[in-house]
Amino acid sequence: MVHAFSEKGSAKGKDYCILFNSLWAPLPHDLGKASLLQLQNQTVSVLCSPSDVPEGGFSNTIPMVMRGNCTFYEKVRLAQINGARGLLIVSRERLVPPAGNRSQYEEIDIPVALLSYADMLDIGKSFGRSVKVAMYAPSEPVLDYNMVIIFIMAVGTVAVGGYWAGSRDVKKRYMKHKRDDGAEKHEDETVDVSPVMICVFVVMCCSMLVLLYYFYDDLVYGIIGIFCLAASVGLYSCLSPFVRRFPWGKCRVPDNNLPYFHKRPQVRMLLLALFCVAVSVVWVVFRNEDQWAWVLQDALGIAFCLYMLKTIRLPTFKGCTLLLLVLFVYDVFFVFITPYFTETGESIMVEVAAGPTDSATHEKLPMVLKVPRLNFSPLALCDRPFSLLGFGDILVPGLLVAYCHRFDIQVQSSRVYFVACTTAYGIGLLVTFVALALMQKGQPALLYLVPCTLLTSFVVALWRKELGMFWTGSGFAKELPQPPLVISPVSCPKPPKEASPLVSRPEADEQTTNPTLHTEEPNSGPSCSGEPPASSPGAEEQTESSEQAGAPTPCIEEQTAQQEGAPESKNLPVEQSQSD
């Protein structure tokens, strides 16, 4: 910030935004400790040669010159040689921190900053030509209330996504052989992640991150387009279960040969698809509106994460461990190790996530949840500061939470694993926020989330003595058993013993051993094989043995047995007469 006020004291001071590079020279964090110096307006020159220096130089003042025609180093070097205490460079373009190299930073010991052309005009209009200024860099608050919003969004997304994925997966196994009631499927297919796919995925992540670091301006629009497409699909997947509950709009599109429309989707689902695409298009158009566009980006991002958690499935805890450990190393390496290899000393991960400062497009990657800082700060004049949380910090632990919920349902453990893993994720996120406040620099969230979630799941499985099943995912590779067929018994009237036909001993034995076999006359109802006729000696013996054993024979009625057994019942009297 540069605080300007008139030397005559006729006007109140005012803050203006400046962008500086602390590697040239640091600035005090408090306005009271900043030096008040005379501002010397030299915007008629660019200060690229000694001829641009006025007579008498810049003794104990802060010159203000135009940007262009030479490097920042050449400008600030001329200003320092001629006695300047600082340098303000006016820019008609977007402000960027003035950069240099390490040897140039060591040579310069005065602060240099960029000021916008509009602010330069406002200073002249508000304070005239006799102006004093003080340059300072106010500190950001250590903690901000926006952390609470990010915490609720992240933990809520992990909990809802993990619960939905686990419940949907088990329900799908039971309903696998059930036909869909229409031309469109109500459930999306899941993708099981194998160790080979994990390795390929990590290699692709590393390659894409390095490519974005070197070719950010060329690839950023492609990433934005992919996000819009994926977010539209995710939003559709999240809203479709609610839209299907509406009682209207069930009519379908007429027969046609158009792509997708030939399946004759319902009108309400077609309107939902158009709505989701429209939301993504609105975000694309207004994505740089800092006042409200972040709300739309977060909503699309949460829908995308829920869709991914529902679609991608880790079948074993072994696969979960492999994925989380590999991405743990990936995150730590690109945040803490890469600064030793880059020219500017910045980490590749932070540079790509926040957007390079020297980017010509000034676009930001949308693969983050972002919430503006809620505490008041003078820095809001420059650019509304945001706190960021990447989608990977939600999806990677979320896949483990989803696996824990599926395993809970498999072993009927009252969701012990799911609750424990979700709680561990929340604790790990809190530890991340604390580390961010203490170190005042970007943190790899997986450094804290992976140990919390993995160790908690491992300890719970060990405590419940289910580590073997939990590690291999026993039962997930097989189909869950179908619910048993329950046949309710039918109460049959007890036929009188006098009217019972004579039945031979083999037939009575067959009726006793096979309770589903029964005889009936063409116009009679179902008979009860559990009460054999009294006129047959063999039947009496069998009945007595059944009573002694205490196992009564059930009486069962089946539609198919009646239909298929009708011809046999007609021939039984003939067989009986022949035996007589």
Side-chain angles (χ1 to χ4, degrees), residues 40-103:
Q40 188 171 351
N41 192 341
Q42 295 291 328
T43 52
V44 294
S45 69
V46 291
L47 194 62
C48 288
S49 63
S51 59
D52 295 328
V53 179
E55 295 183 4
F58 307 114
S59 179
N60 205 31
T61 62
I62 297 179
M64 184 169 59
V65 300
M66 294 300 297
R67 180 181 179 181
N69 294 357
C70 58
T71 64
F72 293 121
Y73 168 71
E74 293 174 327
K75 294 179 184 294
V76 69
R77 181 174 175 272
L78 279 174
Q80 179 175 290
I81 292 174
N82 289 274
R85 297 281 302 277
L87 178 65
L88 284 177
I89 302 176
V90 179
S91 176
R92 296 176 182 269
E93 304 172 3
R94 185 183 178 94
L95 301 184
V96 295
N101 57 43
R102 192 163 300 176
S103 60

Side-chain angles (χ1 to χ4, degrees), residues 128-402:
R129 300 185 60 86
S130 180
V131 183
K132 279 192 173 183
V133 296
M135 300 169 64
Y136 70 106
S139 300
E140 284 288 338
V142 176
L143 293 176
D144 194 273
Y145 297 116
N146 66 351
M147 296 292 185
V148 178
I149 300 177
I150 291 181
F151 180 83
I152 294 174
M153 289 195 300
V155 177
T157 302
V158 167
V160 173
Y163 185 87
W164 189 8
S167 302
R168 172 184 173 274
D169 182 75
V170 174
K171 179 181 177 182
K172 184 180 177 182
R173 291 176 182 274
Y174 279 117
M175 304 294 292
K176 182 176 181 181
H177 303 290
K178 183 178 179 181
R179 293 183 179 179
D180 192 13
D181 59 351
E184 50 190 348
K185 295 182 179 180
H186 285 191
E187 297 290 347
D188 302 319
E189 295 295 331
T190 57
V191 178
D192 287 344
V193 179
S194 64
V196 176
M197 294 173 63
I198 292 174
C199 297
V200 173
F201 172 74
V202 173
V203 171
M204 291 177 61
C205 287
C206 296
S207 303
M208 180 56 67
L209 193 61
V210 173
L211 288 175
L212 281 171
Y213 181 75
Y214 288 104
F215 307 102
Y216 185 88
D217 293 337
D218 300 323
L219 300 175
V220 64
Y221 290 110
I223 300 297
I224 292 175
I226 294 173
F227 171 76
C228 290
L229 180 61
S232 300
V233 175
L235 189 61
Y236 178 88
S237 177
C238 293
L239 296 180
S240 56
F242 302 98
V243 173
R244 287 192 179 96
R245 296 179 179 270
F246 293 164
W248 54 82
K250 296 182 179 180
C251 55
R252 296 184 177 274
V253 175
D255 290 332
N256 59 85
N257 296 324
L258 298 175
Y260 175 74
F261 292 96
H262 71 278
K263 298 180 180 180
R264 301 188 61 205
Q266 295 179 351
V267 172
R268 59 184 178 180
M269 306 312 295
L270 186 60
L271 293 177
L272 175 62
L274 294 176
F275 170 76
C276 295
V277 173
V279 171
S280 295
V281 171
V282 169
W283 176 81
V284 170
V285 175
F286 299 100
R287 63 186 181 276
N288 292 321
E289 293 289 338
D290 290 341
Q291 298 299 323
W292 59 270
W294 62 272
V295 177
L296 208 56
Q297 178 175 327
D298 289 347
L300 292 173
I302 291 174
F304 169 75
C305 291
L306 291 175
Y307 172 73
M308 295 300 292
L309 290 176
K310 188 180 67 169
T311 303
I312 299 176
R313 191 174 74 104
L314 291 170
T316 64
F317 184 63
K318 178 172 62 176
C320 296
T321 304
L322 176 63
L323 176 65
L324 267 68
L325 289 181
V326 172
L327 291 178
F328 170 87
V329 176
Y330 158 84
D331 210 15
V332 172
F333 175 80
F334 279 100
V335 173
F336 287 150
I337 308 301
T338 52
Y340 296 100
F341 303 103
T342 57
E343 295 181 357
T344 59
E346 296 287 341
S347 72
I348 292 180
M349 181 75 74
V350 175
E351 191 78 4
V352 171
T357 55
D358 58 348
S359 171
T361 60
H362 306 292
E363 294 286 353
K364 308 291 184 183
L365 289 180
M367 307 301 189
V368 293
L369 296 181
K370 54 187 296 187
V371 179
R373 288 188 174 270
L374 303 179
N375 288 338
F376 174 77
S377 172
L379 293 177
L381 293 173
C382 300
D383 190 11
R384 197 171 189 183
F386 286 87
S387 296
L388 310 177
L389 183 68
F391 288 169
D393 302 326
I394 299 174
L395 290 175
V396 176
L399 294 175
L400 176 59
V401 172

Side-chain angles (χ1 to χ4, degrees), residues 500-509 511 519 532-533 535-539 576 579:
S500 301
L502 295 177
V503 182
S504 60
R505 183 183 182 88
E507 293 173 346
D509 293 337
Q511 290 179 357
T519 61
S535 59
S536 175
Q576 293 176 4
S579 64

